[in-house]
Amino acid sequence: MAEQTGFKRNVGLFMAVMIGIGAMMGPGVFALPSEVAGSIGPLGIVAYLVMGLLTLFTALTYSELGAAIPIAGGGYSFANRILPSPIAFLTGWFFWIGNTLACALYAVIFALTIQTYFWPGASVFLIVLGTTVVFTATNVRGQAEALQVITVMNVVELLILIGVGVLGAFQVEPANLDPIAPMGLGPLIPTMGLIYISYVGFDLITVAAEEIIEPAKTIPRAILITLGVGIAIYVLILWVMMGAVSYKELAQTSTPFIFIADYLFGGWGRWAGIIATIMASLSAFSVTLGASSRVLFALGRDGHFPELFSRLHPTYQTPHISLFICGALVVLLSGLGVVRFLASVSSFGYLVAIGIVNIAAIGLRRRMPNLRRPFKVALYPLAPVLGAISCWFFVPTLEPRSLLLGGGLTLVGCVLYLLQPENREELRAIPTLLHSVKLRIQAYWRPHMNVLIVGGGPQGANIADRLLKQDEFRMVFRSSEYQITFVEQNAERCEELGNRYNVPVFCGDGTKQDLLEQVEPQKMDVAIAATNSDERNTIVALQAKRLGIERVIAIAQDPDYVSLLEDSGIASISAPYATAAMVENYLDRPQVADLFEIESGVASLIDMVVPEGSPVVGRRIQDIDIPDQCVVAAVLREGQFVVPRGETKIRAGDEVVFVGPQDDIQTAHGLFEGKQEE
């Protein structure tokens, strides 16, 4: 579309914090404390504090992702970079469920406040409808325009919250906090799951990432500021609420903040509480409405939904069509009208989606190690792992009816996903994906083999590449999972090895006994001497054998060195055309290797990738002049096994596995590589 030139970057740090505060300071302090009081009493203070600290792990993950990938869609867009398309879509859909239900919740809180204090008997539905129309129109004009209104409301709301918290602290009665857990510790975990929505807000900053100025700096700062302010205010206000009155009284009201403000400060406190509740519910409503529409926009932009969803307004460059759709659904969902129910369903969406994002962050680090990350998680990978656990752990504790509605909405999303023809095509890859996952799970049951490679040049690096390679062929035949340690003399090369493989690298002369002792040879299962010198490899191998490493392999071409190595019980490999493959074979398939004379340079299984321009490309196996004692044992094509038959045609890029004696395999290797005539 010609008009889709992108969002305008006009949101600075202060406005970004206002997005987070606007979404966070909603039900967590103005509606849910009464539910918390009825569930666990004063222990609710601990629930808010612990939930906030657990959320910090996710906040750190979001800070890294938001700074590195500052694009609209937030958590969904992060997942879409690394996860299979169906899972990425579901991540976005769960975010959309969380945002849309939260938006409906804020609308209901606002409508109930108006109905109770200003307009008794008024229709909650009509109030929600009018509110949605006004804020949809405001959001169409852009985040900056909407945030100007939100900022004013947030400032008023924060001043009232801080004022009530500080002044109310002087009127806390310790007797109201004793006992701290009148219902015991049992309800603590379910209550923490219910209030998770209270801390959703910082993640919405990343949803508007394409509108934030200098996102690499602004997003991490805004996220951490938002969460820090949120935790401090929640704990302070909950302490005042639970300490000022009995938790039983607090549980009886649907507007706990207004009730406490009125109790502590009389008429002016009541009106301050009413104003703060209205400001909080409207600002949270506006922010989550914008976030919900931007997730829908991202789903349309990435082809999961019709292209219509991804269109931007020609003047304001905002996702106006997605805004209208989300606004209409918010009005319908607000008809549920039950604060606890709406909060629970919203938490369901957020908990599932944010847990997936934490896991995606780990995958993104591994797949894109060179991605520029202006902000890095200090406790990686502990932070994202704990972030995921702290989300998914609470999902089963939610209300059963909220799980049913959340599951129903998930099925609706799946149906909408399948309506797109492109999505149906992608689903055909799921059996292959599941098979790959099965193989990787099975790999965890294999023993770990610690491998020491002395020599980090091309030879050693090639061996490491093959031993660390993860494909279907290797996951079937591999006997162990390899943990590699390098010894390399060149300091610059050591740095390259560390960056490339993320494994221990010792810098020094591998022929020296004192250096080899530093690598803890008693923990090594295999040592491989892979320098470019036969003499050095022989010394390294003999040193390793003397230090007690049971299996030692040395790369050597000179017959004199080969004889010395064999006499010392060291396996020597001398075929230069496939040294790395022979080492892999010797380690992975020892049972098969025993059938051949590995010590004298005979390989059991060797594989190679058929290059472009090879004379065998496009030819049937039966028409290729392969030596009689050599056979094509397997073909790996695009990650899948192809059983080789006479009629099978070889393609460029196929990984072909040969079995046979050394000389015949070398002939076949050269033939397929195009280095000799047929």
Side-chain angles (χ1 to χ4, degrees):
M1 300 299 293
E3 71 270 16
Q4 287 184 271
T5 57
F7 293 100
K8 295 179 181 179
R9 290 201 181 275
N10 49 16
V11 177
L13 176 61
F14 180 72
M15 290 294 192
V17 172
M18 288 300 102
I19 292 177
I21 294 295
M24 186 176 290
M25 292 292 109
V29 71
F30 294 103
L32 290 181
S34 57
E35 300 288 346
V36 172
S39 299
I40 57 176
L43 191 61
I45 304 169
V46 177
Y48 272 89
L49 176 60
V50 175
M51 195 75 241
L53 295 177
L54 289 176
T55 306
L56 179 60
F57 296 117
T58 296
L60 291 172
T61 300
Y62 262 83
S63 296
E64 176 178 306
L65 293 173
I69 310 177
I71 59 176
Y76 157 71
S77 293
F78 305 147
N80 197 43
R81 290 295 179 277
I82 192 68
L83 299 176
S85 183
I87 299 177
F89 162 76
L90 285 175
T91 304
W93 185 249
F94 283 125
F95 272 118
W96 184 84
I97 291 173
N99 287 330
T100 307
L101 268 294
C103 200
L105 170 64
Y106 304 144
V108 168
I109 293 173
F110 170 73
L112 290 174
T113 303
I114 296 297
Q115 184 189 63
T116 302
Y117 294 98
F118 295 96
W119 195 357
S123 169
V124 170
F125 176 81
L126 291 178
I127 296 174
V128 170
L129 177 62
T131 305
T132 304
V133 169
V134 171
F135 279 90
T136 299
T138 305
N139 272 275
V140 166
R141 295 180 62 86
Q143 280 281 59
E145 285 76 5
L147 282 173
Q148 291 175 2
V149 178
I150 292 171
T151 299
V152 174
M153 293 190 292
N154 283 344
V155 170
V156 173
E157 165 201 346
L158 288 174
L159 289 175
I160 294 174
L161 283 171
I162 294 171
V164 170
V166 172
L167 297 176
F170 294 99
Q171 300 189 46
V172 168
E173 295 291 339
N176 291 324
L177 300 174
D178 187 22
I180 188 71
M183 291 86 162
L185 298 178
L188 177 62
I189 299 301
T191 302
M192 289 174 64
L194 173 67
I195 66 172
Y196 185 78
I197 189 178
S198 304
Y199 286 104
V200 172
F202 65 82
D203 62 302
L204 300 190
I205 295 170
T206 62
V207 175
E210 289 185 36
E211 295 156 271
I212 292 177
I213 302 168
E214 293 188 279
K217 294 180 180 179
T218 303
I219 289 176
R221 293 173 183 175
I223 287 175
L224 297 177
I225 290 172
T226 297
L227 183 60
V229 170
I231 294 174
I233 290 180
Y234 280 142
V235 173
L236 174 63
I237 296 298
L238 261 291
W239 179 60
V240 171
M241 285 184 174
M242 297 291 184
V245 298
S246 167
Y247 71 89
K248 295 179 181 178
E249 290 184 68
L250 190 63
Q252 300 302 314
T253 177
S254 59
T255 53
F257 184 75
I258 298 174
F259 171 78
I260 287 296
D262 186 12
Y263 178 86
L264 293 175
F265 309 112
W268 74 266
R270 179 175 65 255
W271 283 108
I274 292 171
I275 293 171
T277 302
I278 291 174
M279 298 292 102
S281 56
L282 290 180
S283 63
F285 176 86
S286 180
V287 169
T288 49
L289 179 62
S292 181
S293 66
R294 280 157 177 77
V295 172
L296 208 57
F297 161 84
L299 290 171
R301 177 193 60 193
D302 294 335
H304 299 311
F305 279 169
E307 178 270 340
L308 178 72
F309 287 53
S310 65
R311 292 183 182 177
L312 297 177
H313 192 281
T315 301
Y316 302 113
Q317 296 298 302
T318 53
H320 58 300
I321 295 176
S322 292
L323 268 168
F324 296 148
I325 294 171
C326 291
L329 289 171
V330 165
V331 173
L332 293 175
L333 290 169
S334 64
L336 295 172
V338 181
V339 168
R340 186 183 182 95
F341 183 39
L342 289 171
S344 186
V345 181
S346 180
S347 290
F348 166 82
Y350 285 132
L351 286 167
V352 176
I354 292 176
I356 295 174
V357 172
N358 276 284
I359 297 302
I362 299 174
L364 196 68
R365 276 273 192 117
R366 293 182 176 179
R367 182 171 296 183
M368 301 181 186
N370 295 325
L371 176 68
R372 179 176 173 269
R373 291 176 170 83
F375 180 95
K376 281 191 174 184
V377 176
L379 299 176
Y380 178 87
L382 184 63
V385 169
L386 292 178
I389 293 174
S390 65
C391 288
W392 293 337
F393 176 79
F394 293 102
V395 173
T397 68
L398 299 173
E399 290 187 351
R401 58 176 181 168
S402 66
L403 294 176
L404 288 174
L405 179 57
L409 291 173
T410 302
L411 291 176
V412 170
C414 291
V415 171
L416 293 174
Y417 179 83
L418 292 174
L419 291 178
Q420 292 292 101
E422 298 85 355
N423 296 338
R424 293 197 294 273
E425 286 292 325
E426 291 172 350
L427 289 177
R428 295 180 181 178
I430 288 182
T432 302
L433 174 65
L434 293 177
H435 180 61
S436 176
V437 170
K438 176 185 176 183
L439 291 175
R440 291 183 183 277
I441 292 174
Q442 290 175 343
Y444 282 104
W445 294 96
R446 298 190 182 113
H448 284 99
M449 182 180 289
N450 294 314
V451 178
L452 172 64
I453 300 178
V454 180
Q459 193 84 269
N462 288 338
I463 293 171
D465 286 339
R466 296 186 72 92
L467 295 183
L468 296 176
K469 190 174 182 181
Q470 296 287 332
D471 57 35
E472 192 166 344
F473 172 74
R474 285 167 176 82
M475 284 189 284
V476 168
F477 287 102
R478 180 150 286 167
S479 59
S480 302
E481 290 300 302
Y482 298 113
Q483 303 289 329
I484 288 178
T485 298
F486 272 107
V487 172
E488 167 58 37
Q489 195 166 8
N490 183 282
E492 184 176 340
R493 183 60 179 162
C494 287
E495 184 73 18
E496 294 176 4
L497 293 170
N499 293 334
R500 179 174 175 179
Y501 297 106
N502 292 316
V503 298
V505 179
F506 289 78
C507 190
D509 187 350
T511 64
K512 304 299 183 182
Q513 180 176 336
D514 59 342
L515 178 61
L516 292 179
E517 288 175 344
Q518 293 179 37
V519 305
E520 298 184 286
Q522 69 275 12
K523 295 183 179 179
M524 294 296 163
D525 300 296
V526 181
I528 302 171
T531 73
N532 57 4
S533 165
D534 282 5
E535 180 181 358
R536 291 178 60 80
N537 287 342
T538 302
I539 296 173
V540 168
L542 293 172
Q543 290 277 33
K545 198 71 174 178
R546 188 171 67 176
L547 290 173
I549 300 178
E550 184 176 349
R551 301 175 68 185
V552 180
I553 302 172
I555 313 302
Q557 308 298 325
D558 190 320
D560 292 336
Y561 288 118
V562 170
S563 175
L564 174 61
L565 292 167
E566 291 176 355
D567 291 343
S568 302
I570 297 169
S572 64
I573 293 178
S574 58
Y577 71 97
T579 301
M582 294 175 69
V583 170
E584 178 190 28
N585 175 65
Y586 182 65
L587 297 180
D588 275 342
R589 297 171 282 276
Q591 299 88 348
V592 179
D594 287 342
L595 299 176
F596 298 89
E597 296 177 289
I598 184 70
E599 289 83 0
S600 60
V602 178
S604 56
L605 292 173
I606 296 296
D607 65 303
M608 64 166 292
V609 176
V610 180
E612 293 280 356
S614 169
V616 303
V617 171
R619 298 180 60 184
R620 298 180 299 178
I621 292 177
Q622 65 187 24
D623 297 331
I624 302 172
D625 190 17
I626 301 173
D628 292 339
Q629 299 301 314
C630 177
V631 297
V632 176
V635 175
L636 192 63
R637 180 175 295 161
E638 296 179 353
Q640 297 187 12
F641 281 119
V642 174
V643 178
R645 307 184 189 281
E647 299 292 326
T648 302
K649 289 186 177 181
I650 299 298
R651 300 180 187 175
D654 283 350
E655 188 169 359
V656 180
V657 182
F658 300 108
V659 177
Q662 175 184 338
D663 291 342
D664 288 345
I665 284 183
Q666 186 168 8
T667 300
H669 189 281
L671 175 64
F672 274 63
E673 204 171 43
K675 291 184 177 179
Q676 63 183 59
E677 297 295 326
E678 298 181 51

PDB file of all heavy atoms in Angstrom, residues 362-381:
ATOM      1  N   ILE A 362      15.604 -16.617  24.422  1.00  0.00           N
ATOM      2  CA  ILE A 362      16.733 -17.549  24.458  1.00  0.00           C
ATOM      3  C   ILE A 362      17.057 -18.025  23.052  1.00  0.00           C
ATOM      4  O   ILE A 362      18.218 -18.064  22.626  1.00  0.00           O
ATOM      5  CB  ILE A 362      16.421 -18.739  25.386  1.00  0.00           C
ATOM      6  CG1 ILE A 362      16.171 -18.244  26.813  1.00  0.00           C
ATOM      7  CG2 ILE A 362      17.552 -19.754  25.357  1.00  0.00           C
ATOM      8  CD1 ILE A 362      15.721 -19.326  27.772  1.00  0.00           C
ATOM      9  N   GLY A 363      16.014 -18.393  22.294  1.00  0.00           N
ATOM     10  CA  GLY A 363      16.223 -18.837  20.923  1.00  0.00           C
ATOM     11  C   GLY A 363      16.822 -17.758  20.050  1.00  0.00           C
ATOM     12  O   GLY A 363      17.664 -18.024  19.181  1.00  0.00           O
ATOM     13  N   LEU A 364      16.420 -16.511  20.294  1.00  0.00           N
ATOM     14  CA  LEU A 364      16.938 -15.399  19.496  1.00  0.00           C
ATOM     15  C   LEU A 364      18.422 -15.185  19.762  1.00  0.00           C
ATOM     16  O   LEU A 364      19.194 -14.892  18.846  1.00  0.00           O
ATOM     17  CB  LEU A 364      16.154 -14.121  19.816  1.00  0.00           C
ATOM     18  CG  LEU A 364      16.309 -12.972  18.823  1.00  0.00           C
ATOM     19  CD1 LEU A 364      15.664 -13.323  17.501  1.00  0.00           C
ATOM     20  CD2 LEU A 364      15.691 -11.698  19.388  1.00  0.00           C
ATOM     21  N   ARG A 365      18.842 -15.348  21.007  1.00  0.00           N
ATOM     22  CA  ARG A 365      20.268 -15.217  21.345  1.00  0.00           C
ATOM     23  C   ARG A 365      21.087 -16.263  20.584  1.00  0.00           C
ATOM     24  O   ARG A 365      22.190 -15.987  20.097  1.00  0.00           O
ATOM     25  CB  ARG A 365      20.483 -15.411  22.837  1.00  0.00           C
ATOM     26  CG  ARG A 365      20.273 -14.186  23.695  1.00  0.00           C
ATOM     27  CD  ARG A 365      21.549 -13.355  23.812  1.00  0.00           C
ATOM     28  NE  ARG A 365      21.421 -12.350  24.856  1.00  0.00           N
ATOM     29  CZ  ARG A 365      22.163 -12.317  25.946  1.00  0.00           C
ATOM     30  NH1 ARG A 365      23.086 -13.225  26.142  1.00  0.00           N
ATOM     31  NH2 ARG A 365      22.000 -11.362  26.846  1.00  0.00           N
ATOM     32  N   ARG A 366      20.545 -17.471  20.487  1.00  0.00           N
ATOM     33  CA  ARG A 366      21.304 -18.548  19.853  1.00  0.00           C
ATOM     34  C   ARG A 366      21.295 -18.419  18.327  1.00  0.00           C
ATOM     35  O   ARG A 366      22.311 -18.681  17.684  1.00  0.00           O
ATOM     36  CB  ARG A 366      20.716 -19.898  20.263  1.00  0.00           C
ATOM     37  CG  ARG A 366      20.904 -20.199  21.746  1.00  0.00           C
ATOM     38  CD  ARG A 366      20.369 -21.555  22.117  1.00  0.00           C
ATOM     39  NE  ARG A 366      20.640 -21.877  23.517  1.00  0.00           N
ATOM     40  CZ  ARG A 366      20.260 -23.002  24.113  1.00  0.00           C
ATOM     41  NH1 ARG A 366      19.604 -23.917  23.430  1.00  0.00           N
ATOM     42  NH2 ARG A 366      20.544 -23.218  25.382  1.00  0.00           N
ATOM     43  N   ARG A 367      20.164 -18.046  17.767  1.00  0.00           N
ATOM     44  CA  ARG A 367      20.073 -17.977  16.310  1.00  0.00           C
ATOM     45  C   ARG A 367      20.686 -16.708  15.761  1.00  0.00           C
ATOM     46  O   ARG A 367      21.210 -16.703  14.646  1.00  0.00           O
ATOM     47  CB  ARG A 367      18.612 -18.075  15.864  1.00  0.00           C
ATOM     48  CG  ARG A 367      18.460 -18.070  14.349  1.00  0.00           C
ATOM     49  CD  ARG A 367      17.057 -18.371  13.913  1.00  0.00           C
ATOM     50  NE  ARG A 367      16.648 -19.716  14.304  1.00  0.00           N
ATOM     51  CZ  ARG A 367      15.478 -20.255  13.983  1.00  0.00           C
ATOM     52  NH1 ARG A 367      14.604 -19.555  13.277  1.00  0.00           N
ATOM     53  NH2 ARG A 367      15.168 -21.480  14.369  1.00  0.00           N
ATOM     54  N   MET A 368      20.610 -15.615  16.495  1.00  0.00           N
ATOM     55  CA  MET A 368      21.142 -14.342  16.019  1.00  0.00           C
ATOM     56  C   MET A 368      22.152 -13.797  17.031  1.00  0.00           C
ATOM     57  O   MET A 368      21.934 -12.758  17.650  1.00  0.00           O
ATOM     58  CB  MET A 368      20.005 -13.326  15.820  1.00  0.00           C
ATOM     59  CG  MET A 368      18.945 -13.747  14.848  1.00  0.00           C
ATOM     60  SD  MET A 368      17.668 -12.467  14.661  1.00  0.00           S
ATOM     61  CE  MET A 368      16.505 -13.339  13.605  1.00  0.00           C
ATOM     62  N   PRO A 369      23.270 -14.505  17.220  1.00  0.00           N
ATOM     63  CA  PRO A 369      24.239 -14.047  18.227  1.00  0.00           C
ATOM     64  C   PRO A 369      24.864 -12.707  17.897  1.00  0.00           C
ATOM     65  O   PRO A 369      25.355 -12.009  18.784  1.00  0.00           O
ATOM     66  CB  PRO A 369      25.287 -15.168  18.226  1.00  0.00           C
ATOM     67  CG  PRO A 369      25.161 -15.801  16.879  1.00  0.00           C
ATOM     68  CD  PRO A 369      23.714 -15.719  16.528  1.00  0.00           C
ATOM     69  N   ASN A 370      24.872 -12.336  16.616  1.00  0.00           N
ATOM     70  CA  ASN A 370      25.503 -11.081  16.211  1.00  0.00           C
ATOM     71  C   ASN A 370      24.521  -9.914  16.127  1.00  0.00           C
ATOM     72  O   ASN A 370      24.900  -8.823  15.699  1.00  0.00           O
ATOM     73  CB  ASN A 370      26.193 -11.259  14.855  1.00  0.00           C
ATOM     74  CG  ASN A 370      27.337 -12.245  14.930  1.00  0.00           C
ATOM     75  OD1 ASN A 370      28.032 -12.323  15.934  1.00  0.00           O
ATOM     76  ND2 ASN A 370      27.533 -13.014  13.876  1.00  0.00           N
ATOM     77  N   LEU A 371      23.277 -10.139  16.500  1.00  0.00           N
ATOM     78  CA  LEU A 371      22.308  -9.050  16.525  1.00  0.00           C
ATOM     79  C   LEU A 371      22.763  -7.981  17.524  1.00  0.00           C
ATOM     80  O   LEU A 371      23.134  -8.296  18.654  1.00  0.00           O
ATOM     81  CB  LEU A 371      20.930  -9.587  16.929  1.00  0.00           C
ATOM     82  CG  LEU A 371      19.809  -8.548  17.104  1.00  0.00           C
ATOM     83  CD1 LEU A 371      19.444  -7.941  15.752  1.00  0.00           C
ATOM     84  CD2 LEU A 371      18.574  -9.205  17.740  1.00  0.00           C
ATOM     85  N   ARG A 372      22.729  -6.739  17.098  1.00  0.00           N
ATOM     86  CA  ARG A 372      23.131  -5.648  17.995  1.00  0.00           C
ATOM     87  C   ARG A 372      22.159  -5.552  19.160  1.00  0.00           C
ATOM     88  O   ARG A 372      20.961  -5.415  18.959  1.00  0.00           O
ATOM     89  CB  ARG A 372      23.163  -4.326  17.221  1.00  0.00           C
ATOM     90  CG  ARG A 372      23.539  -3.122  18.090  1.00  0.00           C
ATOM     91  CD  ARG A 372      23.645  -1.859  17.245  1.00  0.00           C
ATOM     92  NE  ARG A 372      23.847  -0.688  18.075  1.00  0.00           N
ATOM     93  CZ  ARG A 372      22.859   0.064  18.559  1.00  0.00           C
ATOM     94  NH1 ARG A 372      21.602  -0.229  18.258  1.00  0.00           N
ATOM     95  NH2 ARG A 372      23.109   1.118  19.317  1.00  0.00           N
ATOM     96  N   ARG A 373      22.695  -5.648  20.368  1.00  0.00           N
ATOM     97  CA  ARG A 373      21.872  -5.603  21.579  1.00  0.00           C
ATOM     98  C   ARG A 373      22.362  -4.461  22.471  1.00  0.00           C
ATOM     99  O   ARG A 373      23.262  -4.658  23.295  1.00  0.00           O
ATOM    100  CB  ARG A 373      21.943  -6.935  22.327  1.00  0.00           C
ATOM    101  CG  ARG A 373      21.256  -8.076  21.576  1.00  0.00           C
ATOM    102  CD  ARG A 373      21.434  -9.413  22.292  1.00  0.00           C
ATOM    103  NE  ARG A 373      20.594 -10.442  21.701  1.00  0.00           N
ATOM    104  CZ  ARG A 373      20.922 -11.148  20.628  1.00  0.00           C
ATOM    105  NH1 ARG A 373      22.091 -10.939  20.044  1.00  0.00           N
ATOM    106  NH2 ARG A 373      20.101 -12.064  20.148  1.00  0.00           N
ATOM    107  N   PRO A 374      21.775  -3.272  22.329  1.00  0.00           N
ATOM    108  CA  PRO A 374      22.210  -2.138  23.155  1.00  0.00           C
ATOM    109  C   PRO A 374      22.026  -2.386  24.648  1.00  0.00           C
ATOM    110  O   PRO A 374      22.735  -1.823  25.465  1.00  0.00           O
ATOM    111  CB  PRO A 374      21.318  -0.990  22.665  1.00  0.00           C
ATOM    112  CG  PRO A 374      20.871  -1.404  21.303  1.00  0.00           C
ATOM    113  CD  PRO A 374      20.741  -2.883  21.355  1.00  0.00           C
ATOM    114  N   PHE A 375      21.042  -3.233  24.991  1.00  0.00           N
ATOM    115  CA  PHE A 375      20.811  -3.601  26.399  1.00  0.00           C
ATOM    116  C   PHE A 375      20.850  -5.116  26.474  1.00  0.00           C
ATOM    117  O   PHE A 375      20.159  -5.798  25.718  1.00  0.00           O
ATOM    118  CB  PHE A 375      19.453  -3.080  26.881  1.00  0.00           C
ATOM    119  CG  PHE A 375      19.144  -3.428  28.318  1.00  0.00           C
ATOM    120  CD1 PHE A 375      19.431  -2.532  29.337  1.00  0.00           C
ATOM    121  CD2 PHE A 375      18.564  -4.649  28.645  1.00  0.00           C
ATOM    122  CE1 PHE A 375      19.141  -2.846  30.664  1.00  0.00           C
ATOM    123  CE2 PHE A 375      18.283  -4.973  29.967  1.00  0.00           C
ATOM    124  CZ  PHE A 375      18.575  -4.069  30.973  1.00  0.00           C
ATOM    125  N   LYS A 376      21.663  -5.663  27.392  1.00  0.00           N
ATOM    126  CA  LYS A 376      21.762  -7.103  27.544  1.00  0.00           C
ATOM    127  C   LYS A 376      21.328  -7.524  28.944  1.00  0.00           C
ATOM    128  O   LYS A 376      21.664  -6.874  29.925  1.00  0.00           O
ATOM    129  CB  LYS A 376      23.196  -7.584  27.291  1.00  0.00           C
ATOM    130  CG  LYS A 376      23.563  -7.678  25.815  1.00  0.00           C
ATOM    131  CD  LYS A 376      24.885  -8.424  25.652  1.00  0.00           C
ATOM    132  CE  LYS A 376      25.191  -8.667  24.189  1.00  0.00           C
ATOM    133  NZ  LYS A 376      26.424  -9.466  24.009  1.00  0.00           N
ATOM    134  N   VAL A 377      20.573  -8.625  29.002  1.00  0.00           N
ATOM    135  CA  VAL A 377      20.154  -9.175  30.290  1.00  0.00           C
ATOM    136  C   VAL A 377      21.384  -9.660  31.050  1.00  0.00           C
ATOM    137  O   VAL A 377      22.182 -10.451  30.527  1.00  0.00           O
ATOM    138  CB  VAL A 377      19.174 -10.343  30.088  1.00  0.00           C
ATOM    139  CG1 VAL A 377      18.822 -10.976  31.428  1.00  0.00           C
ATOM    140  CG2 VAL A 377      17.906  -9.851  29.396  1.00  0.00           C
ATOM    141  N   ALA A 378      21.540  -9.193  32.265  1.00  0.00           N
ATOM    142  CA  ALA A 378      22.726  -9.533  33.055  1.00  0.00           C
ATOM    143  C   ALA A 378      22.717 -10.993  33.490  1.00  0.00           C
ATOM    144  O   ALA A 378      23.759 -11.623  33.575  1.00  0.00           O
ATOM    145  CB  ALA A 378      22.819  -8.618  34.272  1.00  0.00           C
ATOM    146  N   LEU A 379      21.554 -11.538  33.764  1.00  0.00           N
ATOM    147  CA  LEU A 379      21.462 -12.893  34.302  1.00  0.00           C
ATOM    148  C   LEU A 379      21.037 -13.907  33.242  1.00  0.00           C
ATOM    149  O   LEU A 379      20.327 -14.865  33.542  1.00  0.00           O
ATOM    150  CB  LEU A 379      20.481 -12.914  35.483  1.00  0.00           C
ATOM    151  CG  LEU A 379      20.854 -12.023  36.660  1.00  0.00           C
ATOM    152  CD1 LEU A 379      19.760 -12.050  37.714  1.00  0.00           C
ATOM    153  CD2 LEU A 379      22.176 -12.465  37.271  1.00  0.00           C
ATOM    154  N   TYR A 380      21.455 -13.696  32.004  1.00  0.00           N
ATOM    155  CA  TYR A 380      21.100 -14.621  30.940  1.00  0.00           C
ATOM    156  C   TYR A 380      21.850 -15.946  31.112  1.00  0.00           C
ATOM    157  O   TYR A 380      23.025 -15.938  31.461  1.00  0.00           O
ATOM    158  CB  TYR A 380      21.461 -14.011  29.578  1.00  0.00           C
ATOM    159  CG  TYR A 380      21.167 -14.931  28.417  1.00  0.00           C
ATOM    160  CD1 TYR A 380      19.906 -14.943  27.838  1.00  0.00           C
ATOM    161  CD2 TYR A 380      22.136 -15.799  27.925  1.00  0.00           C
ATOM    162  CE1 TYR A 380      19.629 -15.791  26.787  1.00  0.00           C
ATOM    163  CE2 TYR A 380      21.864 -16.651  26.878  1.00  0.00           C
ATOM    164  CZ  TYR A 380      20.608 -16.651  26.312  1.00  0.00           C
ATOM    165  OH  TYR A 380      20.326 -17.499  25.279  1.00  0.00           O
ATOM    166  N   PRO A 381      21.182 -17.134  30.874  1.00  0.00           N
ATOM    167  CA  PRO A 381      19.772 -17.294  30.509  1.00  0.00           C
ATOM    168  C   PRO A 381      18.837 -17.458  31.700  1.00  0.00           C
ATOM    169  O   PRO A 381      17.682 -17.822  31.535  1.00  0.00           O
ATOM    170  CB  PRO A 381      19.811 -18.577  29.687  1.00  0.00           C
ATOM    171  CG  PRO A 381      20.862 -19.399  30.372  1.00  0.00           C
ATOM    172  CD  PRO A 381      21.906 -18.420  30.840  1.00  0.00           C
TER     173      PRO A 381
END
